[in-house]
């Protein structure tokens, strides 16, 4: 049987970690209750996370021709209909970064490196706040 692509295995690994974001586990939100690997076909009715592959590059400082830098996006979506959507978006943003700050062994890859976080208020007129965090990791093929 063919193995899943390494990028997909990394996303699955992150999905499992982000699903632990619960108030009972010391976080501010319950956003870990809905962590997806595919964009939902309908707007969310509750805060949720979607993970995306952002692409691979050959790093300029690579130590090997087979080294790759994988970029991934963690997208937090908060419908404006929830109580205090801005506070929820900020808290969820902090929760995700906190969850991914803790050491998380990756499938044959280096630990994640945080790159940036952006909060988009009602992008393209959609009634939700969106927070996008970008992370990178490296591995050899």
């Amino acid at each position: 049987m063919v193995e899943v692509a390494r990028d997909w295995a990394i996303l699955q690994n992150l999905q499992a970690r982000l699903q632990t974001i619960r108030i009972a586990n010391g976080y501010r939100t319950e956003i870990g209750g809905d962590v997806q690997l595919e964009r939902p076909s309908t707007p969310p009715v509750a805060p949720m996370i979607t993970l995306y592959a952002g692409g691979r590059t050959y790093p300029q400082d690579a130590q090997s021709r087979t080294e790759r830098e994988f970029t991934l996006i963690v997208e937090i979506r908060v419908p404006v209909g929830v109580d205090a959507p801005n506070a929820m978006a900020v808290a969820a943003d902090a929760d995700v970064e906190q969850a991914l700050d803790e050491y998380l062994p990756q499938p044959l890859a280096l630990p994640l490196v945080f790159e940036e976080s952006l909060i988009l208020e009602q992008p393209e007129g959609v009634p939700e706040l969106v927070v996008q965090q970008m992370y990178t990791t490296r591995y050899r093929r």
Side-chain angles (χ1 to χ4, degrees), residues 28-29 78 82-95 119 129 131:
R28 299 159 197 83
T29 69
V78 179
V82 302
D83 289 338
N86 192 38
M88 170 61 76
V90 169
D93 183 38
D95 281 350
I119 298 177
L129 299 177
V131 180

Side-chain angles (χ1 to χ4, degrees), residues 87-139:
M88 170 61 76
V90 169
D93 183 38
D95 281 350
V96 168
E97 189 169 356
Q98 177 183 333
L100 298 181
D101 274 348
E102 297 173 26
Y103 178 68
L104 177 62
Q106 295 300 325
L108 300 172
L110 295 173
L112 293 179
V113 175
F114 174 84
E115 299 291 338
E116 69 177 334
S117 174
L118 301 169
I119 298 177
L120 311 170
E121 188 171 342
Q122 295 189 347
E124 300 176 19
V126 176
E128 60 189 42
L129 299 177
V130 175
V131 180
Q132 291 181 332
Q133 293 183 359
M134 184 170 66
Y135 292 85
T136 58
T137 185
R138 289 185 180 197
Y139 59 81

Side-chain angles (χ1 to χ4, degrees), residues 34-94:
D34 192 358
V35 182
Q36 303 295 321
L37 296 176
E38 301 287 349
R39 179 178 288 280
S41 59
T42 60
V45 295
M48 67 168 298
I49 297 172
T50 307
L51 301 172
Y52 300 99
R56 277 185 319 279
T57 60
Y58 173 71
Q60 289 183 330
D61 63 344
Q63 302 297 309
S64 163
R65 288 294 307 154
T66 62
E67 189 170 337
R68 299 294 180 263
E69 184 172 85
F70 172 52
T71 301
L72 58 106
I73 307 299
V74 178
E75 186 174 83
I76 301 162
R77 297 173 65 189
V78 179
V80 295
V82 302
D83 289 338
N86 192 38
M88 170 61 76
V90 169
D93 183 38

